[in-house]
Amino acid sequence: MTTETTEADMQPDAVQQITDEERGPGRADRFSALAQQHGALVTLLVAMVVASLSFDTFLTGDNLENMALSSAFLAVVALGMTFVIVTGGIDLSVGSLFALGGVVAAWGSQYGSAVALLLPLAVCGLIGLVNGLLIARSGLAPFIVTLAAMLGARGILLAITDEGSRTYLVDKDSFFATLGQGSLLAIGVPVWITVALFVLGAVVLRRTRFGQYVYAVGGNEDAAALMGAPVARTKIAVYVVSGLCAGLAGALNAAWLLSGVTILGTGMELEAIAAVVIGGTLLSGGFGFVSGSIVGVLLLKVIQNVINQIGSLDSAYQQVVSGAFLAVVVVAQTWLGRRRRVL
């Protein structure tokens, strides 16, 4: 003879315990997911409200336009970095590729706008391909490979500019210059290009098979291989994307400045990594989204703008505050990750 236990037969305390156990992890998971996805956005909104109340010039059209333009180039670099970090990798070469792309674009502009735009993409995309091949096929550590690429690209940059003594200028009447200097609906063309690239990046990462492979490789490489994901091709592709984004950002920056500047891009790889991580992408890979990266970029730029408006603070404090934000976000990610595993 068997008996069936119903909820009515249970003691009230036992029923309450089961209910909490069933509901608790769900709520905790949702809270952790919301914190990771929207924590940077909430922080950005709070920072903007505080800045607008503190400084009359913060919400002026000129200031917002300058922040949007200066954010656009870093955002394009961060877009490529997002793909790399989601796979669990890192790309330290993007700062040098950004500078190299700008100089190559300015040099190529004397042969036409198409050369000015395509040449940096080809050069930086090729360096990204070499990075990907060495990492995916030879099993070398991304940190070492991209560090070598960073030094190599900076060396090429100095070689073609006679160690920085030669500056290539862009014809201000060319179509290429319009990509950096032009505007549409009072918003700079680089900002529109950045928005379009982020929409494309979001679709690729969230809605395509390649995007699923990127997440799978970052989550667990061995499991992804067992499921049939092309692990090596995916890792190669993300480094090519990162190189292309860095080269394009450099070309747009050259079009904006009407010249290729060799000293740009120093430390940009760290800014891009910080923006991506602050935006919610896990450094360990397997989780991330491009919308968070652009929020991370904007947050860094708002911090820089506020420090500039204070005036009495040295620009070095920008790095201090940005580093502090990064440390807090990494600690929060670690805490949320442990909490979700425990629950």
Side-chain angles (χ1 to χ4, degrees):
M1 180 177 177
T2 60
T3 59
E4 184 177 354
T5 303
T6 65
E7 185 173 307
D9 300 325
M10 297 182 180
Q11 295 297 322
D13 291 343
V15 174
Q16 183 65 38
Q17 182 179 1
I18 292 174
T19 304
D20 290 342
E21 289 176 351
E22 288 176 348
R23 293 177 179 175
R27 290 176 180 172
D29 283 344
R30 286 195 293 273
F31 171 77
S32 298
L34 285 173
Q36 286 189 322
Q37 291 181 11
H38 304 298
L41 179 60
V42 172
T43 306
L44 173 64
L45 294 175
V46 171
M48 293 187 68
V49 169
V50 172
S52 62
L53 294 175
S54 304
F55 306 102
D56 295 335
T57 56
F58 182 78
L59 287 182
T60 60
D62 289 342
N63 191 49
L64 293 177
E65 183 180 2
N66 286 333
M67 277 199 296
L69 276 173
S70 62
S71 301
F73 311 112
L74 176 60
V76 175
V77 176
L79 174 62
M81 186 68 78
T82 305
F83 281 79
V84 173
I85 293 181
V86 170
T87 63
I90 202 81
D91 190 349
L92 299 179
S93 67
V94 292
S96 295
L97 294 184
F98 173 80
L100 179 62
V103 170
V104 169
W107 176 84
S109 65
Q110 61 185 313
Y111 301 104
S113 297
V115 176
L117 192 57
L118 295 178
L119 188 60
L121 294 179
V123 172
C124 297
L126 179 61
I127 294 175
L129 175 63
V130 173
N131 284 342
L133 287 172
L134 290 174
I135 293 167
R137 298 297 185 188
S138 301
L140 299 177
F143 175 83
I144 299 299
V145 172
T146 57
L147 179 62
M150 178 182 75
L151 297 175
R154 189 64 68 174
I156 296 172
L157 177 66
L158 294 175
I160 62 178
T161 59
D162 293 336
E163 298 189 356
S165 62
R166 181 179 299 177
T167 301
Y168 299 102
L169 301 178
V170 176
D171 183 2
K172 64 180 181 181
D173 296 323
S174 65
F175 171 75
F176 177 64
T178 306
L179 294 177
Q181 296 276 314
S183 63
L184 180 63
L185 301 176
I187 298 175
V189 172
V191 178
W192 289 110
I193 294 175
T194 302
V195 171
L197 288 173
F198 266 80
V199 171
L200 177 63
V203 172
V204 170
L205 194 56
R206 304 292 294 187
R207 301 292 182 187
T208 67
R209 180 168 297 182
F210 171 70
Q212 294 175 0
Y213 291 156
V214 171
Y215 283 113
V217 170
N220 189 314
E221 247 184 74
D222 295 332
L226 290 174
M227 289 189 298
V231 175
R233 274 190 294 160
T234 302
K235 293 171 79 172
I236 293 170
V238 296
Y239 284 96
V240 172
V241 169
S242 181
L244 290 173
C245 287
L248 177 60
L252 292 175
N253 187 259
W256 183 46
L257 297 176
L258 297 178
S259 65
V261 182
T262 57
I263 61 173
L264 294 179
T266 303
M268 194 176 201
E269 61 280 350
L270 301 181
E271 281 189 294
I273 293 169
V276 172
V277 175
I278 288 173
T281 298
L282 293 180
L283 265 176
S284 55
F287 181 86
F289 34 90
V290 297
S291 59
S293 298
I294 199 167
V295 171
V297 170
L298 293 174
L299 183 56
L300 291 179
K301 292 300 179 183
V302 168
I303 292 170
Q304 293 175 3
N305 190 270
V306 168
I307 291 177
N308 288 336
Q309 297 215 31
I310 291 175
S312 59
L313 290 178
D314 189 86
S315 60
Y317 284 97
Q318 296 175 2
Q319 305 299 328
V320 175
V321 177
S322 299
F325 257 97
L326 180 60
V328 169
V329 169
V330 171
V331 170
Q333 285 183 349
T334 304
W335 180 78
L336 289 172
R338 287 177 180 172
R339 180 179 173 83
R340 293 175 75 172
R341 282 196 294 272
V342 169
L343 291 172

